[in-house]
Amino acid sequence: ENPYVGLVSRLRAAWLSGRTRSLEYRMAQLEALGRFLEEKKQDILEATALDMRKPPFEAEFSEVLLCKNELNEALNNLSRWMKDKHVDKNLATQLDSAFIRKDPYGVVLIIGPWNYPIYLLLVPLIGAIAAGNCVIIKPSELTKNSEKLMEEVLPQYLDKDCFAVVTAGVEETTRLLENKFDYIFFTGDSPSGGRIIMTAAAKHLTPVTLELGGKNPCYVSDTCDVQNVARRVAWGRFFNAGQTCIAPDYVLCSVEMQEKLMPALREAITEFYGSEPRNSPDFARIVGDEQFKRVQALLSSGRVAIGGQTDEKERYIAPTVLVDVKPSHPAMQEEIFGPILLIITVANMDEAIDFINSRERPLVIYAFSSDNKVVNQVLERTSSGGFCGNDTLMHVTLTSLPFGGIGSSGLGMCHGQFTFDTFTHHRGCLQRGTGLEPINTLRYPPYSTHKMGLIRTATSIKRRGECFLL
Amino acid sequence: MGRMAEVVGRARAAFSSGRSRPLEFRLQQLRNLQRMVQEKEREILAAIGADLHKCGHNAYSHEIMGVLGELALTMEKLPSWAAPRPVKKNLLTLRDEAYINPEPLGVVLVIGAWNYPFVLVMQPLIGAIAAGNAVVVKPSEISEHTSQLIANILPQYLDQELYPVVTGGVPETTELLTQRFDHILYTGNSAVGKIVMAAAAKHLTPVTLELGGKSPCYIDTDCDLAVACRRITWGKYMNCGQTCIAPDYILCHPSIQSQVVENIKATLREFYGEDVKKCPDYERIINKRHFKRIMSLLEGQKIAHGGETDEATCFIAPTILTDVSAESKVMEEEIFGPVLPIVSVKNVDEAIEFINRREKPLALYVFSNDKKLIKRVISETSSGGVTGNDVIMHFFLATLPFGGVGNSGMGAYHGKHSFDTFSHHRSCLIKDLKMEGTNMVRYPPSSQKKLDWAKFFILKRLNKGRVGLIMLALLGVVAAVVIKMAFY
């Protein structure tokens, strides 16, 4: 028998009781989450430090601050988000009430990744709670301390009947997925993970959001402030030791620009981490031995221009820049997800755009230029989950922008109201009166040419109003 | 290379050329579609008539009118739908451009159904074209006349590489589903819906599944029964019951059951005359297989009205069943035929419980003079959509998203919802390469001061008062100057 049947039925019973539906209940749960972030901040910093030596600044910024943002956005706006949305009506429904009702789905499953173990679990959780669902939360088993924190501490803040934390490895997760959920939100790094989730979901016709990844290109044009570019790209690349789904994966630039970038990148790295990044408290480590070996193997692609040092015991890989990288090299076959920045030279912007378009669509595309036309060209002629011009990572700090992938980088979106909408069934409702029945007779049989003529005439009144008379 | 791979490959190459993207091109194709519907109206009505024994009036109002309406709406609104949508910014991004850019997904697959064979292919097609995609159209082979017609006329009016029509049955559809698409919209039943989603999962293709289920219809004792029954009769027996949002079964108090039956009988006479078989306004079951399927649902049931059949013409008379047990076969699957079971419930609580014990339906109907009761039924149940005091009608309001939930489907379309379904909403943040000052707070080496500044810029406060935009702007400038002086 499936080991999770009991848990899922328990949550389903809680769901059917209707407890999660009132605004007050949802606000109370969200406020409790806020207290969790406040009171357990130190625990979060410690857990992520133990898991991947996440620098306290990074942890506070990404795992606490950004979560609080999403939380406050939800608390400030929830009553408005929940309201029925009244819609424009056509001629026939003028006297009716037509609105979109925001219904929760029911019992939803959220599977979190290991790279931002609190943030990437809480963002969907906030939306799921705001939308009125019951939630099963499955943190990553790779970050053991964060997983323990979620398993032991989070339930102290939330209603245990409606929200449960499940710890599970690959096999148990497979069994968990055999159960029926009303929505599944998955964040993970590989297309294969996404495929497994969606295939399992298909068996129950469960809608999904998949936040995946890819190789995020970063085009740097010849007209730019090189030092600023270097700083912004280095920051985005080496944050969390490169283990960020929206990190710039590889740079595309001209040979001339590469020559200017190199000293600028060197300077930025020194500015950030000092001359010995291994000693800097602001530089993280790779999360596990398997991942360390994987990333280390990519160092053989091209030539090491900056960094390249590693320490297996500490799972330390220095902030590294590789040049002379070819598309056939291992580093160009997979998402790097480590502190290695590749530089690939192209002749011009057109070549860069062709290069980007010949590959899978990434989660984000970056373009740097002091010429706005260049930035817009790259934007218009490519396709990606999101786009950020002249900076890295920052588009995710705006809760008003939807965050999600396209193609192999994912499907669906989240952040701000988009998370709420993701976990909501938008139900079209039309409430009619029983008066005015004579108008309805146009639609009833028996049909006469006369009736048909009326309908056709009415239908040809287009342009301004809707076309439907019925 | 297989035929499907070729067709899809050509569509993909055509999409990559970029020609489906300019608004003018999309509008031109939509205008061509409009011309097609107007010029080929006779042929379209004839094909639908041949497939479903549907008279011209019905075919026009069920299928053509909706398509023309959707075309007109889409052509009018497309420029505003396709425009970049600016978003609210925070302190840090005040000087930046932040917006959502609606973009085409790429190559979209539309799989139609046989019950409304024209509109269920055309409406998704309109939305997909409007969003700038290439579209592979696969009409249902069961409605073979309409399918063949679409295959003939569409290429005469639309760009042939961008919008190919693929015909065929299960083997062809299976092969088609092995190809990679950027979105699949499927209309049909839940069993095949699962197959479509599983195939889509291999390519991580997002899907919109318009499926079905048993749409319940609760009739309160406090309601105008004559009007209610007339509306229900219209929605139930149109297209011979083969409508995904037809009221599948009635729930009502046993005391009004016979009145409901009498009212429906009277309405049926009004609509179809004394001899419904001779009435040109009454359709037929699509084929023998479905005819036999519906027949088997009648076994052991109490027939209050109707029940006459003729296998040769796939005719089933409008039928009403009374005192139906919840466990019987007719209450297990979507009927999709002119058979209306009436199940007794003592009150609205029992009705809500009954509905909630079952799979979430595509549509839900409630008839009552008591607005509060209707509100309650909506709030305590879940369904794709709802119409109160009528049936079907929420389908015709393009501003309402049309789709299912749970077993009845996922995603939605119609009007702008179609455009949004077939678009990628790409978030765009365009910053300045200057103004590096404010960025300094986030760079290592870290410090408490930097962290405090980061919080100042990024953290949303709980709403205790609103800071005006101008104030924010001033704050931003002041902050930038201070930081520049502090960290440079």
Side-chain angles (χ1 to χ4, degrees), chain A residues 69 72-73 88 105 228 232 282 361 379 387 389 391 400 402 427-428 430 437 443 447 456 463, chain B residues 41 58 76 88 105 231 360 378 383 386 388 390 399 424 426-427 429 432-433 436 442 446 460 463:
Chain A
N69 239 17
N72 289 345
E73 176 81 355
D88 285 345
Y105 275 113
N228 283 353
R232 295 175 190 196
D282 295 319
R361 292 183 287 189
L379 169 57
F387 181 91
D391 208 337
S400 52
R427 190 180 186 190
L430 181 65
E437 182 64 357
R443 75 192 199 204
Y447 299 109
R456 281 169 182 272
R463 245 45 216 161
Chain B
E41 183 186 302
N58 273 352
E76 181 188 336
K88 215 162 60 157
L105 287 165
R231 297 179 180 188
K360 297 178 189 176
I378 298 179
S383 64
V386 177
D390 207 335
T399 46
H424 173 56
R426 191 178 189 194
S427 23
L429 179 64
D432 212 308
L433 260 186
E436 185 64 347
R442 75 196 200 203
S446 62
K460 270 181 197 299
N463 258 356

Side-chain angles (χ1 to χ4, degrees), chain B residues 47-298:
Chain B
I48 297 171
D51 282 327
L52 288 151
H53 192 273
K54 188 177 287 204
C55 69
H57 303 310
N58 273 352
Y60 188 87
S61 62
H62 295 173
E63 306 231 28
I64 300 227
M65 211 166 67
V67 172
L68 288 174
E70 192 85 346
L71 276 166
L73 174 70
T74 305
M75 287 191 285
E76 181 188 336
K77 301 281 191 187
L78 184 54
S80 72
W81 292 350
R85 305 171 191 179
V87 299
K88 215 162 60 157
K89 296 184 280 196
N90 60 19
L91 200 55
L92 204 57
T93 44
L94 265 182
R95 287 183 73 253
D96 307 322
E97 275 181 72
Y99 57 93
I100 301 170
N101 207 37
E103 298 179 359
L105 287 165
V107 181
V108 168
L109 172 63
V110 172
I111 302 178
W114 54 258
N115 56 334
Y116 291 90
F118 188 69
V119 64
L120 291 178
V121 149
M122 293 294 291
Q123 248 180 323
L125 175 62
I126 291 166
I129 293 178
N133 302 287
V135 193
V136 176
V137 174
K138 164 70 188 72
S140 169
E141 71 282 11
I142 295 178
S143 43
E144 45 183 354
H145 298 90
T146 312
S147 167
Q148 200 47 58
L149 179 73
I150 292 175
N152 290 342
I153 62 176
L154 215 67
Q156 294 172 25
Y157 289 82
L158 297 184
D159 184 311
Q160 294 184 5
E161 287 175 345
L162 281 170
Y163 315 111
V165 180
V166 170
T167 54
V170 172
E172 286 85 354
T173 311
T174 308
E175 201 202 320
L176 194 54
L177 284 170
T178 62
Q179 300 304 307
R180 183 180 190 181
F181 295 96
D182 302 303
H183 195 102
I184 300 175
L185 188 146
Y186 165 77
T187 307
N189 66 61
S190 307
V192 178
K194 290 179 185 170
I195 296 173
V196 172
M197 188 171 172
K202 296 204 170 66
H203 297 290
L204 292 170
T205 300
V207 298
T208 299
L209 304 175
E210 299 275 333
L211 309 176
K214 295 181 76 61
S215 300
C217 181
Y218 175 66
I219 307 179
D220 190 28
T221 42
D222 171 22
C223 90
D224 186 334
L225 267 186
V227 172
C229 291
R230 191 177 297 119
R231 297 179 180 188
I232 292 169
T233 307
W234 170 74
K236 174 72 199 186
Y237 299 107
M238 77 192 310
N239 208 32
C240 209
Q242 298 161 118
T243 307
C244 50
I245 44 170
D248 187 279
Y249 63 97
I250 290 178
L251 292 168
C252 71
H253 196 274
S255 66
I256 57 170
Q257 188 183 239
S258 51
Q259 252 184 297
V260 167
V261 173
E262 287 315 305
N263 275 307
I264 296 178
K265 276 162 76 167
T267 310
L268 284 170
R269 267 194 302 275
E270 217 180 284
F271 286 0
Y272 304 117
E274 289 304 326
D275 190 349
V276 61
K277 198 162 177 213
K278 290 212 176 71
C279 179
D281 296 332
Y282 189 67
E283 290 89 354
R284 296 293 182 270
I285 301 302
I286 184 79
N287 61 26
K288 294 261 170 23
R289 181 170 70 85
H290 279 280
F291 174 89
K292 289 198 173 85
R293 178 188 66 78
I294 298 164
M295 288 302 299
S296 72
L297 301 176
L298 295 176

Side-chain angles (χ1 to χ4, degrees), chain A residues 262-284:
Chain A
M262 217 43 72
L265 283 169
R266 229 182 289 269
E267 194 182 318
I269 291 172
T270 313
E271 219 175 279
F272 292 171
Y273 309 114
S275 51
E276 224 7 277
R278 193 200 298 234
N279 298 333
S280 165
D282 295 319
F283 187 68

